[in-house]
């Protein structure tokens, strides 16, 4: 069966004329610059297509105007939401319209009737967060819910883990308002026969679309019955199966859903809502082999679960790489299972759930299925299981060489009773090509994500890619399944549409496309008339990237280029409701200021794109170097380190600016200023000094410099009798020593109360300011000095400032080589926060008296990126009568010197205003705000005019 393939036609319009007309008509943003086009050239697929330009509409009228102008110029249009499409739907060579920044409102909610009317750019998690107080939610629960837009979900007909209960997006879309290619706007809803007759008489494209779909639904009834897969999870092609039963209400919105933006533009939609579950329970079941787990699925489905998710041994094995996940898995996983099922149940009453779990276990044991059962009845235990699953998937994709776990055949679906045999054959196809794969996803509906590991930079890899895709398509046909179960066709499955549905239905699909979009305006090359499978690949045999010399060690990735290429485009950096990553995106909602956007810019520049240092600098400028991406990105992209490397190379070429030199050497300046502290503080606070700082160093006039202390921590230690035989060494960081010695003194008091003797470590500055400013040669010198000074004992090395700990624990070893690296690694293994040490080594000690009613805890970004907030919470939790509240406020926005800059002040303030600053202003009389970071405390003081205190100060003040 042949595949009908085309190459995208060369664009022939005048780009400059298009840009000028758009700029004159659009209230939003029009971007045709090389950086914007580069950043919007990829989504989460294996493809890359650079657009002509980008429009970020401010409202619905901007979308309408942009489409009309593009149509006049003959420029195709691709709508984009979160850019999380794994099949390449969200990229195109015409005009990209990004609806996520502004077109994201809830327009109307009817809780009694259980529906909501929304704009398409609203993110699923953000929609459900607003609906939660009403006890309602939009049902499809996809894995990218933190950043995927409802518009994208409608375009792809998304579903998710609980589709066995809730179905697909199409089952929850009631009505749509759609912009058609002729500029007409039409409201789509269920129609009576008389209303349908009237709709078919409409002028222009709407009338033709109604007539065409009604006719094809009748003519193709038998062909649809013969060729459409009989599985729940089928989203390929156009939804012609929704129009073959004349007894069903005719709703043209069901054709728009799943059409991948190829038929029209959804301007708003009315969605059905479902009640939140009242009670949930979860059971994990281990199997010796993956195929045994899949064989158990039909038995489990007899018990009506809400979800049945599977992970194979390949996925699970990666959790042992991470100490935190390793401890987490020990709670419910025994040994090394070949497969694990997570089975979830919903109920109206919690008391209904235990009998259902017991019945399931008894049924499986009677069938000889499963060798270890674990029940997670409460929310915390369930969160640990789901959290491990999510983290395991991320780690399984974090391959540090050119072999990557690729999304291209990961979306097949067959009947659950045939799943075991299908996957056995599927894995045989992959292994026959000399590849491996991980398996996970939705066993409940026969939709498993199988991701082969392939090196696409070689001819052999591309051959494997093509061969596996073709053989899997044949296998799916043999099993009567769907090639796409939830991720859609796009560029990766579009080439197989004729093979999957046959030439008769394929021509019907082309007729539908022609009726709705006669001039190929909307997202051409998707679903029908697609380019070849191997066209437009992001990586291929011809791909080349430069690997410059670096200060940090990237050898495990094969160089800096390999480290940058770790970003696959999943877009987790676009989440806004929780975590830290990415603070500048949370404030600006700009794709440029995501980790993904920055990685794209760097990768393209290193592989020959026309992006100069100014363009890359603009992309990296708002990176706060919070290190959140290193922890929260599924593949651990470390943008902070990339930014430091870029700055270092730029200064090597252009010379280091005064500002970077001054801010990077804050340690030397503080040492000098503290010697004349009272005078130095008066001078620094003067109007003249502020003016000089603003002009020469770019420090915003609203920022106050922290005062230096003449009585340093170093001096305090020198004046006190030394503790013989110290149990721990206190790292004498710049901020504690010269600005806040009281914090260091409080730490010593706490340690003494716990029976620990403390001495001051013989360190120099950790080098964090130098690293942040790109002064990496100087940072390497300091790292070497610290490694040699500190590698002379076994005592724990304790830190008050989290950013200094991350410099010693994470950065210093990778800046050094040979013996010095080994010294730095030994030092890093001894390094920990004071609170971490007290929680781990001093159980029950020291004791505290009753204190504040509430302790609001704001974790420093580096503290959270290293997973060190839990020890602080536990230690503060020892205060009698105090409620410890984790603000989960993300980044404070100050980030060292970032927030002092006049260029960054507004962004810094916007980041703080998300949660931290309002919480600080709203503190009651019995509240105290705890923040370990110097930057965080100064942000609160400057912008909330409130006080935040270091946890050790709070605790030392409450010692019995």
């Amino acid at each position: 069966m042949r595949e009908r393939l085309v190459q995208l036609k060369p664009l022939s319009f005048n780009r400059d004329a298009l840009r000028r007309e758009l700029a004159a008509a659009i209230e939003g943003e029009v971007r045709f610059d090389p950086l914007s086009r580069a950043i919007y050239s990829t989504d989460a697929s294996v493809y890359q297509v650079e657009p002509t330009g980008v429009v970020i509409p401010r409202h619905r009228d901007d979308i309408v105007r942009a489409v009309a102008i593009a149509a006049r110029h003959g420029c195709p249009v691709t709508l984009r939401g979160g850019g999380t499409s794994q099949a390449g739907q969200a990229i195109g060579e015409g005009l990209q319209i990004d609806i996520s920044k502004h077109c994201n409102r809830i327009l109307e909610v009817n809780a009694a009737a259980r529906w909501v009317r929304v704009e398409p750019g609203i993110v699923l998690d953000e929609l459900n967060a607003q609906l939660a107080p009403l006890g309602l939610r939009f049902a499809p629960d996809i894995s990218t819910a933190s950043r995927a837009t409802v518009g994208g979900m409608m375009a792809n007909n998304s579903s998710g883990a609980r589709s066995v209960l809730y179905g697909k997006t199409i089952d929850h879309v009631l009505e749509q308002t759609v912009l058609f290619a002729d500029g007409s706007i039409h409201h789509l809803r269920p129609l009576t026969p008389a209303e349908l007759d009237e709709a078919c008489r409409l002028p222009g494209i709407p009338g033709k679309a109604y007539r065409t779909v009604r006719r094809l639904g009748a003519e193709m009834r038998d062909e649809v019955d013969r060729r459409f897969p009989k599985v729940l999870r089928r989203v390929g092609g156009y939804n012609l199966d929704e129009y073959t039963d004349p007894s069903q209400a005719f709703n043209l919105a069901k054709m728009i859903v799943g059409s991948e933006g190829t038929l029209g533009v959804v301007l708003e939609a009315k969605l059905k809502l479902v009640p939140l579950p009242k009670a949930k329970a979860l059971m994990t079941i281990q199997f010796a082999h993956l195929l045994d787990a899949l064989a158990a699925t039909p038995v489990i489905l007899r018990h009506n679960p809400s979800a049945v998710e599977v992970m194979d041994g390949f996925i699970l094995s990666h959790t042992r790489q991470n100490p935190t996940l390793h401890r987490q898995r020990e709670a419910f996983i025994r040994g090394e299972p070949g497969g694990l099922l997570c089975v979830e149940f919903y109920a109206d009453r919690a008391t209904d759930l235990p009998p259902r779990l017991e019945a399931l276990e008894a049924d499986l044991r009677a069938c000889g299925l499963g060798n270890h059962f674990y029940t997670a009845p409460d929310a915390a235990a369930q969160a640990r299981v789901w959290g491990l699953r999510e983290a395991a998937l991320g780690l399984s994709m974090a391959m540090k060489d050119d072999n990557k776990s690729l999304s291209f055949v990961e979306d097949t679906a067959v009947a659950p009773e045939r799943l075991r045999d299908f996957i056995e054959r599927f894995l045989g196809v992959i292994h026959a090509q000399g590849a491996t794969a991980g398996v996970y996803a939705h066993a409940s509906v026969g939709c498993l994500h199988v991701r082969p590991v392939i090196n696409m930079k070689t001819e052999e890899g591309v051959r494997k890619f093509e061969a596996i895709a073709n053989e899997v398509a044949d296998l799916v046909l043999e099993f009567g399944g769907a090639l796409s179960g939830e991720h859609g066709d796009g560029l990766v499955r579009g080439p197989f549409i004729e093979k999957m549905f046959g030439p008769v239905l394929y021509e019907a699909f082309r007729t539908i496309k022609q009726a709705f979009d006669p001039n190929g305006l909307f997202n051409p090359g998707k679903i029908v008339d697609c380019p070849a499978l191997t066209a437009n690949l992001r990586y291929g045999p011809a791909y080349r990237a430069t690997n410059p010399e670096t200060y940090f060690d990237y050898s495990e990735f094969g160089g800096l280029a390999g480290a940058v290429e770790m970003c696959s485009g999943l877009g987790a950096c676009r989440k806004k409701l929780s975590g830290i990553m990415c603070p500048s995106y949370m404030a600006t909602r700009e794709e440029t200021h995501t980790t993904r956007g920055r990685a794209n810019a760097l990768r393209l520049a290193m592989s020959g794109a026309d992006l100069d240092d100014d363009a890359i600098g603009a992309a990296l400028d708002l990176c706060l170097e919070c290190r959140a991406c290193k922890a929260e990105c599924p593949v651990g992209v470390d943008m902070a380190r990339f930014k430091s490397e870029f700055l270092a190379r730029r200064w090597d070429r252009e010379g280091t600016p005064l500002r970077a030199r001054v801010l990077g050497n804050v340690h030397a300046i503080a040492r000098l200023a503290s010697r004349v502290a009272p005078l130095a503080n008066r001078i620094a606070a003067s109007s003249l000094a502020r003016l000089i700082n603003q002009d020469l160093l770019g420090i915003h006039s609203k920022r106050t410099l922290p005062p230096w202390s003449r009585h340093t921590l170093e001096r305090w230690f020198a004046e006190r009798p030394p503790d013989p035989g110290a149990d721990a060494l206190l790292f004498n960081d710049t901020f504690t020593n010269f600005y806040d010695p009281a914090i260091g003194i409080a730490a010593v008091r706490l340690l003494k109360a716990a029976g620990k003797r403390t001495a001051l470590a013989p360190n120099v500055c950790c080098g964090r300011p130098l690293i942040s400013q790109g002064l990496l040669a100087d940072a390497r010198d300091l790292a070497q000095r610290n490694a040699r000074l500190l590698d002379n004992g076994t005592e724990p090395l304790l830190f008050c400032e989290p950013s200094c700990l991350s410099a010693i624990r994470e950065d210093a070893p990778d800046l050094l080589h040979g013996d010095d690296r080994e010294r730095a690694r030994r030092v890093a293994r001894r390094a920990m926060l004071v609170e971490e040490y007290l929680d781990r080594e001093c159980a029950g000690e020291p004791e505290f008296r009753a204190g504040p009613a509430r302790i609001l805890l704001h974790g420093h970004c580096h503290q959270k990126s290293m997973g060190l907030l839990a020890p602080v919470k536990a230690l503060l939790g020892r205060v009698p009568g105090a409620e410890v509240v984790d603000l989960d406020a993300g980044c404070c926005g100050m980030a060292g010197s970032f927030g002092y800059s006049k260029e960054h002040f507004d962004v810094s303030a916007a980041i703080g205003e998300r949660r931290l600053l309002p919480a600080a202003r709203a503190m009651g009389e019995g509240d105290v705000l705890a923040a370990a970071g110097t930057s965080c405390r100064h942000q609160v003081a400057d912008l909330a005019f409130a006080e935040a205190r270091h946890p050790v100060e709070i605790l030392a003040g409450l010692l019995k």
Side-chain angles (χ1 to χ4, degrees):
M1 195 174 296
R2 67 190 175 89
E3 301 164 6
R4 187 164 318 189
L5 306 175
V6 299
Q7 294 295 328
L8 295 179
K9 295 178 181 178
L11 301 183
S12 58
F13 54 85
N14 186 311
R15 175 184 284 174
D16 286 338
L18 173 65
R19 177 187 55 78
R20 288 194 299 270
E21 190 171 348
L22 286 167
I26 301 298
E27 292 183 26
E29 297 151 74
V30 177
R31 301 177 181 172
F32 279 52
D33 60 282
L35 177 62
S36 296
R37 299 204 315 272
I39 283 173
Y40 279 87
S41 67
T42 60
D43 51 12
S45 72
V46 296
Y47 296 103
Q48 178 175 303
V49 179
E50 184 176 284
T52 292
V54 179
V55 166
I56 302 175
R58 188 163 292 279
H59 43 63
R60 166 175 164 164
D61 288 347
D62 272 355
I63 299 175
V64 175
R65 293 187 195 113
V67 170
I69 293 169
R72 285 200 297 273
H73 284 262
C75 175
V77 169
T78 298
L79 271 288
R80 180 182 177 110
T84 57
S85 301
Q86 296 188 42
Q89 298 96 323
I91 54 177
E93 61 177 351
L95 188 68
Q96 286 247 344
I97 300 180
D98 183 348
I99 59 169
S100 63
K101 185 175 181 179
H102 299 296
C103 302
N104 50 29
R105 298 175 299 162
I106 289 180
L107 302 173
E108 185 180 2
V109 182
N110 188 323
R114 292 182 181 172
W115 58 260
V116 63
R117 195 162 55 87
V118 301
E119 293 180 319
I122 192 166
V123 170
L124 177 59
D125 272 356
E126 294 168 32
L127 168 63
N128 283 333
Q130 296 180 66
L131 295 172
L134 302 174
L136 299 170
R137 63 168 293 160
F138 183 54
D141 55 342
I142 57 179
S143 61
T144 53
S146 64
R147 63 270 194 196
T149 62
V150 170
M153 293 176 68
M154 290 189 290
N156 291 354
N157 197 7
S158 302
S159 42
R162 294 166 183 86
S163 59
V164 68
L165 184 65
Y166 292 126
K168 305 187 292 268
T169 294
I170 196 171
D171 302 307
H172 303 272
V173 176
L174 302 173
E175 303 174 11
Q176 292 177 328
T177 299
V178 176
L179 169 66
F180 288 99
D182 60 0
S184 60
I185 297 174
H186 193 70
H187 185 71
L188 309 183
R189 60 179 178 82
L191 301 179
T192 65
E195 289 173 328
L196 177 57
D197 288 340
E198 184 178 349
C200 287
R201 291 191 289 270
L202 288 170
I205 286 179
K208 186 175 182 180
Y210 275 110
R211 293 191 299 272
T212 301
V213 173
R214 181 169 69 170
R215 175 177 62 82
L216 290 175
E219 292 178 357
M220 297 290 152
R221 185 176 299 120
D222 292 342
E223 191 72 7
V224 165
D225 184 62
R226 181 165 58 252
R227 295 303 302 252
F228 267 57
K230 305 298 188 294
V231 294
L232 172 64
R233 297 291 285 272
R234 191 280 309 162
V235 301
Y238 289 122
N239 294 323
L240 200 51
D241 56 330
E242 295 289 337
Y243 304 94
T244 57
D245 184 353
S247 66
Q248 289 185 343
F250 192 104
N251 187 352
L252 201 59
K254 292 185 179 295
M255 183 58 72
I256 299 296
V257 172
S259 67
E260 303 185 358
T262 61
L263 303 181
V265 175
V266 178
L267 300 175
E268 64 178 67
K270 182 180 177 181
L271 310 173
K272 181 175 70 176
L273 304 177
V274 299
L276 291 170
K278 294 182 173 63
K280 292 189 284 188
L282 183 68
M283 173 179 281
T284 63
I285 309 158
Q286 288 184 201
F287 301 84
H289 303 286
L290 169 67
L291 297 179
D292 296 337
L294 301 180
T297 300
V299 177
I300 295 170
L301 290 175
R302 298 200 296 254
H303 294 261
N304 299 315
S306 58
V308 184
E309 297 291 288
V310 67
M311 288 185 287
D312 71 349
F314 176 84
I315 301 286
L316 289 168
S317 66
H318 288 81
T319 60
R320 291 201 178 277
Q321 301 173 6
N322 183 296
T324 301
L325 293 178
H326 181 71
R327 291 191 296 270
Q328 195 170 331
R329 65 174 275 155
E330 294 301 310
F332 63 94
I333 295 177
R334 288 185 182 174
E336 297 292 343
L340 181 79
L341 290 178
C342 302
V343 184
E344 183 188 67
F345 292 96
Y346 284 174
D348 289 332
R349 297 184 301 271
T351 54
D352 294 339
L353 291 168
R356 294 177 67 184
L357 294 171
E358 292 164 7
L360 172 62
E361 182 174 347
D363 199 357
L364 288 171
R365 288 189 184 279
C367 297
L369 296 167
N371 55 37
H372 177 60
F373 298 78
Y374 168 82
T375 298
D378 61 86
Q382 292 167 28
R384 283 193 292 271
V385 173
W386 292 126
L388 182 102
R389 176 183 178 272
E390 183 177 356
L393 297 179
L395 287 170
S396 71
M397 292 186 289
M399 297 178 176
K400 296 177 180 178
D401 57 14
D402 286 336
N403 291 289
K404 302 294 181 187
S405 179
L406 299 179
S407 171
F408 69 103
V409 290
E410 90 303 339
D411 200 26
T412 59
V414 299
E417 59 271 17
R418 305 196 69 185
L419 185 58
R420 184 230 175 260
D421 294 340
F422 172 73
I423 292 299
E424 183 176 34
R425 294 272 303 279
F426 196 141
L427 294 176
V429 168
I430 292 170
H431 296 153
Q433 293 292 334
T436 59
V439 180
Y440 68 100
H442 322 299
S444 57
V445 287
C447 180
L448 287 199
H449 298 329
V450 183
R451 292 193 162 192
V453 178
I454 296 176
N455 179 1
M456 293 292 284
K457 294 181 180 179
T458 65
E459 292 183 5
E460 174 71 6
V462 174
R463 186 199 62 77
K464 288 182 181 180
F465 169 81
E466 194 169 17
I468 290 171
N470 278 285
E471 290 184 47
V472 166
D474 291 336
L475 185 66
V476 169
L477 268 179
E478 179 186 336
F479 275 77
L483 193 59
S484 178
E486 63 178 338
H487 294 159
D489 297 322
L491 296 171
V492 77
R493 280 175 284 275
F496 298 100
I497 291 295
E498 187 169 3
K499 174 185 280 190
M500 302 309 298
F501 290 94
V504 174
L505 282 176
Y506 186 77
E507 285 304 322
F509 292 161
R510 295 184 82 229
T511 301
I512 290 170
K513 171 68 172 173
Q514 177 68 20
F516 279 80
D517 186 22
N519 296 318
L521 174 66
F522 293 130
N523 210 15
K526 318 302 192 301
I527 300 184
V528 296
D529 298 324
C530 303
L533 178 69
T534 56
N536 307 303
L537 290 171
R538 187 187 308 192
Y539 301 109
Y543 177 88
R544 297 289 183 274
T546 58
N547 247 328
E549 289 187 16
T550 59
Y551 287 93
F552 286 105
D553 179 22
Y554 302 96
S555 58
E556 62 179 326
F557 305 100
L560 178 61
V564 172
E565 290 165 6
M566 289 293 291
C567 176
S568 61
L570 289 174
C573 42
R574 288 176 62 97
K575 61 186 173 66
K576 299 188 285 290
L577 295 183
S578 63
I580 324 168
M581 183 180 71
C582 178
S584 49
Y585 174 73
M586 291 180 183
T588 66
R589 301 198 173 196
E590 288 279 356
E591 174 70 16
T592 306
H593 302 310
T594 62
T595 303
R596 177 177 70 180
R598 294 173 181 126
N600 251 334
L602 282 168
R603 177 183 60 81
L604 287 161
M606 296 171 75
S607 58
D610 184 21
L611 295 173
D612 59 21
D613 278 359
D614 288 340
I616 301 301
L620 295 175
D621 183 50
L622 295 189
C623 172
L624 283 80
E625 301 176 70
C626 64
R627 307 300 292 275
C629 48
K630 188 174 187 295
E632 296 182 12
C633 169
V635 294
V637 172
D638 192 348
M639 191 53 60
R641 191 166 286 185
F642 300 162
K643 181 178 180 179
S644 295
E645 291 282 5
F646 169 79
L647 292 176
R649 289 301 165 193
R650 191 167 196 179
W651 305 156
D652 286 347
R653 289 191 300 271
E654 301 174 8
T656 305
L658 175 64
R659 173 176 169 173
R661 185 64 65 187
V662 169
L663 296 176
N665 286 281
V666 64
H667 175 85
I669 293 169
R671 178 173 293 280
L672 292 172
S674 68
R675 294 174 181 171
V676 288
L679 177 60
N681 291 331
R682 285 197 295 272
I683 293 172
S686 69
S687 300
L688 178 60
R690 288 194 178 202
L691 184 62
I692 292 172
N693 285 337
Q694 180 169 297
D695 289 345
L696 290 184
L697 303 180
I699 295 176
H700 198 282
S701 59
K702 291 185 179 179
R703 289 297 186 186
T704 58
L705 295 178
W708 295 283
S709 173
R710 185 176 179 85
H711 200 85
T712 63
L713 181 64
E714 184 179 19
R715 182 175 172 182
W716 181 82
F717 260 94
E719 292 173 352
R720 66 189 286 268
D723 287 335
D727 299 297
L729 299 178
L730 187 64
F731 188 93
N732 191 23
D733 69 85
T734 296
F735 310 107
T736 303
N737 187 37
F738 296 115
Y739 297 99
D740 295 303
I743 292 172
I745 295 168
V748 173
R749 289 184 59 208
L750 273 177
L751 291 162
K752 184 175 182 179
K756 303 296 182 181
R757 295 163 297 181
T758 313
L760 202 61
N763 60 274
V764 293
C765 175
C766 69
R768 169 62 61 213
L770 292 169
I771 294 170
S772 297
Q773 296 300 321
L775 305 177
L776 295 184
D778 294 340
R780 175 178 286 170
D781 290 342
L782 282 183
Q784 182 186 66
R785 290 175 62 191
N786 274 323
R788 295 178 179 182
L789 286 169
L790 297 172
D791 185 34
N792 58 1
T794 59
E795 305 94 335
L797 182 62
L798 308 184
F799 290 73
C800 295
E801 178 62 39
S803 62
C804 298
L805 172 63
S806 73
I808 295 298
R809 184 185 280 189
E810 298 182 333
D811 290 320
D814 284 346
L815 279 170
L816 299 174
H817 304 282
D819 291 343
D820 283 326
R821 171 174 290 178
E822 292 308 312
R823 293 187 185 98
R825 285 175 174 169
R826 287 193 292 268
V827 172
R829 287 192 288 269
R830 293 163 47 209
M832 64 185 76
L833 290 178
V834 172
E835 304 96 311
E836 183 186 4
Y837 176 73
L838 286 166
D839 180 59
R840 182 193 301 179
E841 304 294 336
C842 309
E845 295 291 341
E847 293 186 17
F848 304 103
R849 56 181 172 80
R854 287 199 315 162
I855 301 175
L856 307 179
L857 177 60
H858 173 69
H860 186 282
C861 290
H862 292 186
Q863 185 179 18
K864 287 181 279 194
S865 73
M866 292 183 289
L868 297 180
L869 199 59
V872 183
K873 290 169 68 174
L875 195 61
L876 291 170
R878 296 188 199 176
V879 176
E883 176 192 7
V884 180
V885 179
D886 180 0
L887 292 178
D888 189 21
C891 179
C892 71
M894 181 68 92
S897 62
F898 178 91
Y900 279 95
S901 163
K902 59 185 179 183
E903 296 90 354
H904 299 152
F905 180 83
D906 290 342
V907 172
S908 172
I911 293 168
E913 291 293 349
R914 284 186 61 249
R915 287 181 193 157
L916 175 60
L917 299 177
R921 296 186 192 105
M923 283 195 297
E925 192 172 334
D927 297 342
V928 64
L929 176 57
T934 297
S935 296
C936 310
R937 296 192 300 273
H938 282 283
Q939 180 80 320
V940 169
D942 276 358
L943 301 184
F945 305 104
E947 182 185 30
R949 303 177 65 201
H950 196 292
V952 301
E953 279 194 295
I954 296 170
L955 292 168
L958 297 174
L959 285 170
K960 277 192 173 181

